[in-house]
């Protein structure tokens, strides 16, 4: 815990840095700024002030400099009266299609090493995700302290590339001109799609898009996986890797699943387990055969066993996007080029051709200089080309962007 007087001093320091940033850097206004609702959070408060609007980029810039929000958001939706206090009085005119990929929702082993929870009743703590109840006192007042690392953000970036290349452009025909990619400033990425044909989609239509991307409800039979009789025998047939859409994606996913499957990961069901052991025993030949569109290179593997592999493959190759963000047609999303109050990183626009090389720990930094802070506790992390920590109850002089990250994470205070 940061003592109250030191917490206030941190906030004053951060607010000064954020003000200087907004004095020297122009924020990127959204398209049709006069039709967008804006919302802001401020230092020292957990509440959001929303139902604000701006008629032009200059008035938004002046607000950012004079009020210095810790976090800035705008509506994905367009309204005739964006500053109306009640949502049903705003006059909804349409909504961009937004996707959110957040490391919080991805399975990454690093969380068990850098995320932490602390029971606010008894002080018990542990690594990893927040439990429902404290294992010592049973209390539910548990604080979660998440961190971000290169594994988190690299995993999120891979999901971002998969979403754009495999689904949005290949399956939905979204053009590069309609896409904007944004690093959230914390643990993930956003994709903004502005297209006249998508503006009017309601929540149900947007949920359908999410279901398609996640592969919800896919029935392998309707994608070509079936037993067919040839003479007195039954043979298994399935989709080819070269096919478009989910058929080819399933075939490629099955190959990927078989290549990564281990003896320990297969289910305990006796029949399915025995069948999968046969596949793994002859893994190379099975994979080569599937690549040629032949689905039954090994005798004795039941259709149920193959359905298990397909189900696992869907989880592997399906998109990992946050459903509520896409389906909510009144959602506020982070304002690109603003600063994120949990890191001090820039909410950065990323060009499509530069996604692979984008490095949040280098390209999203906003501050230069050095400052000395006392760090209560922090895992090892990188800023720019240099690594720091781990720290435990010590004074350290750090580059300003590294110190700001620790101050924003409330794990350090100014000396």
């Amino acid at each position: 815990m940061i003592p109250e007087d030191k917490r206030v001093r941190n906030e004053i320091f951060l607010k000064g840095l954020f003000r200087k940033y907004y004095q020297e850097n122009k924020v990127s206004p959204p398209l049709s700024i006069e039709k967008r609702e804006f919302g802001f959070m401020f230092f020292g408060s957990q509440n959001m002030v929303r139902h604000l609007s701006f008629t032009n980029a200059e008035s938004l810039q002046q607000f950012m400099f004079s009020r210095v929000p810790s976090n800035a958001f705008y509506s994905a939706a367009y309204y005739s009266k964006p500053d109306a206090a009640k949502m049903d009085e705003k006059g909804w005119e349409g909504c961009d299609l937004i996707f959110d990929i957040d490391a919080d929702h991805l399975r990454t082993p690093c969380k068990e090493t850098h995320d932490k929870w602390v029971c606010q009743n008894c002080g018990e703590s542990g690594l990893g995700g927040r439990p429902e109840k404290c294992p010592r006192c049973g209390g539910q007042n548990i604080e979660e302290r998440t961190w971000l690392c290169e594994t988190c953000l690299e995993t999120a970036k891979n999901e971002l590339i998969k979403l754009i290349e495999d689904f949005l452009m290949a399956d939905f025909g979204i053009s590069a001109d309609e896409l904007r990619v944004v690093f959230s400033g914390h643990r993930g990425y956003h994709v903004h799609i502005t297209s006249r044909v998508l503006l009017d989609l309601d929540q149900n239509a947007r949920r359908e898009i999410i279901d398609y991307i996640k592969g919800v409800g896919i029935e392998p039979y309707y994608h070509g996986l079936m037993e067919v009789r040839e003479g007195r025998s039954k043979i298994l047939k399935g989709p080819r890797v070269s096919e478009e859409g989910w058929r080819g994606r399933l075939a490629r996913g099955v190959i990927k699943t078989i290549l990564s499957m281990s003896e320990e990961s297969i289910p305990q069901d006796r029949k399915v387990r025995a069948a999968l052991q046969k596949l793994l025993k002859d893994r190379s030949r099975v994979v080569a055969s599937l690549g040629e569109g032949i689905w039954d290179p090994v005798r004795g593997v039941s259709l149920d066993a193959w359905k298990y592999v397909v189900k696992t493959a869907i989880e592997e190759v399906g998109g990992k996007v946050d459903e509520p963000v896409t389906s909510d047609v009144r959602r506020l999303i982070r304002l690109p080029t603003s600063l994120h109050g949990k890191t001090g990183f820039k909410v950065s626009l990323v060009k499509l051709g530069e996604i692979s090389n984008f490095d949040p720990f280098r390209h999203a930094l906003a501050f230069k200089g050095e400052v000395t802070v006392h760090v209560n506790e922090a895992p090892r992390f990188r800023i720019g080309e240099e690594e720091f920590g781990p720290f435990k109850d010590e004074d350290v002089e750090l580059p300003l962007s590294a110190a700001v990250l620790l101050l924003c994470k409330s794990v350090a205070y100014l000396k």
Side-chain angles (χ1 to χ4, degrees):
M1 289 288 289
I2 305 296
E4 179 64 14
D5 60 329
K6 293 180 171 56
R7 184 187 63 77
V8 172
R9 188 162 172 249
N10 283 353
E11 289 174 354
I12 293 172
F13 178 73
L14 290 172
K15 187 174 180 179
L17 289 176
F18 277 41
R19 185 190 302 280
K20 188 170 186 292
Y21 171 83
Y22 290 124
Q23 184 180 28
E24 298 174 350
N25 298 275
K26 287 188 176 180
V27 294
S28 177
L31 184 69
S32 302
I33 183 174
E34 72 282 2
K35 292 183 176 292
R36 307 284 192 164
E37 177 198 357
F38 283 78
F40 302 95
M41 297 178 73
F42 297 93
F43 291 99
S45 172
Q46 296 298 315
N47 298 322
M48 179 182 287
V49 178
R50 57 184 301 179
H51 308 306
L52 302 176
S53 68
F54 302 92
T55 55
N56 53 55
E58 289 73 24
S59 58
L60 171 62
Q61 186 75 39
Q62 178 59 31
F63 181 93
M64 301 295 285
F65 169 67
S66 61
R67 298 291 300 277
V68 196
S70 58
N71 296 279
F73 307 86
Y74 75 98
S75 65
Y78 303 80
Y79 300 105
S80 58
K81 297 178 181 177
D83 57 350
K86 295 182 178 178
M87 297 307 295
D88 57 4
E89 295 176 350
K90 289 183 181 293
W92 191 87
E93 295 182 350
C95 184
D96 292 335
L97 186 61
I98 306 293
F99 294 94
D100 175 32
I101 295 171
D102 194 319
D104 287 351
H105 305 136
L106 303 177
R107 285 199 298 264
T108 55
C110 54
K111 290 176 185 168
E112 300 301 319
T113 64
H114 59 58
D115 284 1
K116 187 175 181 180
W117 57 268
V118 180
C119 176
Q120 300 301 293
N121 293 333
C122 68
E124 179 75 351
S125 64
L127 292 172
R130 176 184 184 276
E132 288 187 11
K133 295 181 179 179
C134 173
R136 179 197 281 181
C137 71
Q140 296 182 325
N141 184 13
I142 297 174
E143 178 187 342
E144 189 170 31
R145 300 173 183 173
T146 60
W147 193 256
L148 67 166
C149 73
E150 301 197 41
T151 301
C152 293
L153 291 178
E154 196 62 26
T155 304
K157 186 199 286 185
N158 291 336
E159 285 296 327
L160 169 72
I161 293 171
K162 180 169 73 177
L163 171 68
I164 293 173
E165 294 183 354
D166 291 4
F167 293 98
L168 299 182
M169 300 184 89
D171 287 7
F172 288 95
I174 303 294
S175 70
D177 293 340
E178 296 170 314
L179 281 168
R180 280 210 313 175
V181 176
V182 181
F183 168 58
S184 72
H186 193 211
R187 303 227 294 179
Y189 293 86
H190 301 156
V191 177
H192 303 201
I193 301 174
T194 301
S195 170
R196 292 180 63 84
V197 299
L198 299 174
L199 283 178
D200 293 336
L201 293 180
D202 63 14
Q203 288 184 321
N204 290 332
R206 291 168 197 251
R207 286 196 190 97
E208 289 285 342
I209 291 173
I210 289 294
D211 285 350
Y212 177 88
I213 290 172
K214 288 186 170 181
V216 174
I218 283 186
E219 171 53 58
Y221 176 83
Y222 294 112
H223 291 271
L225 182 65
M226 62 185 75
E227 282 182 327
V228 296
R229 182 170 292 283
E230 285 193 358
R232 293 184 176 181
S233 305
K234 284 184 177 179
I235 64 169
L236 188 71
K237 289 200 170 184
R240 290 179 171 272
V241 295
S242 58
E243 292 188 79
E244 296 181 345
W246 264 104
R247 288 176 69 100
R249 189 173 294 118
L250 277 182
R252 295 188 294 273
V254 165
I255 290 176
K256 193 173 181 180
T257 299
I258 290 175
L259 285 172
S260 63
M261 190 175 279
S262 65
E263 185 82 19
E264 295 74 26
S265 67
I266 60 180
Q268 293 302 313
D269 179 274
R270 186 173 58 82
K271 289 184 179 178
V272 173
R273 185 175 181 83
L276 294 181
Q277 286 172 328
K278 288 183 180 179
L279 289 180
L280 297 187
K281 188 177 180 180
D282 211 357
R283 193 190 311 248
S284 298
R285 190 164 69 86
V286 171
V287 168
S289 175
L290 286 168
E292 296 174 358
I294 300 170
W295 278 69
D296 55 356
V298 178
R299 290 184 178 277
V301 179
S302 67
L303 183 59
D304 286 342
W306 279 110
K307 285 182 177 178
Y308 171 83
V309 178
V310 168
K311 181 182 176 184
T312 305
I314 291 171
E315 294 174 1
E316 172 69 26
V317 299
K320 312 293 188 300
V321 290
D322 188 5
E323 188 267 337
V325 173
T326 300
S327 62
D328 187 352
V329 294
R330 292 178 171 83
R331 192 83 175 186
L332 296 182
I333 52 177
R334 285 198 176 268
L335 178 66
T337 63
S338 64
L339 296 176
H340 197 300
K342 288 185 177 179
T343 58
F345 288 174
K346 287 185 284 190
V347 181
S348 307
L349 289 163
V350 186
K351 293 180 180 177
L352 270 184
E354 298 176 359
I355 293 175
S356 295
N357 294 325
F358 180 76
D359 177 1
F361 296 100
R362 188 154 55 95
H363 298 129
L365 305 182
F367 306 110
K368 293 180 180 178
E370 293 184 335
V371 69
T372 300
V373 295
H374 180 89
V375 187
N376 286 350
E377 185 176 9
R380 191 168 181 78
F381 64 100
R382 177 174 65 85
I383 289 292
E385 304 300 328
E386 198 172 352
E387 293 193 343
F388 305 94
F391 298 121
K392 180 75 173 180
D393 197 24
E394 56 190 296
D395 295 344
V396 288
E397 185 180 63
L398 294 171
L400 193 50
S401 286
V404 167
L405 171 63
L406 300 180
L407 296 176
C408 287
K409 283 289 184 184
S410 298
V411 296
Y413 57 83
L414 287 169
K415 286 299 293 181

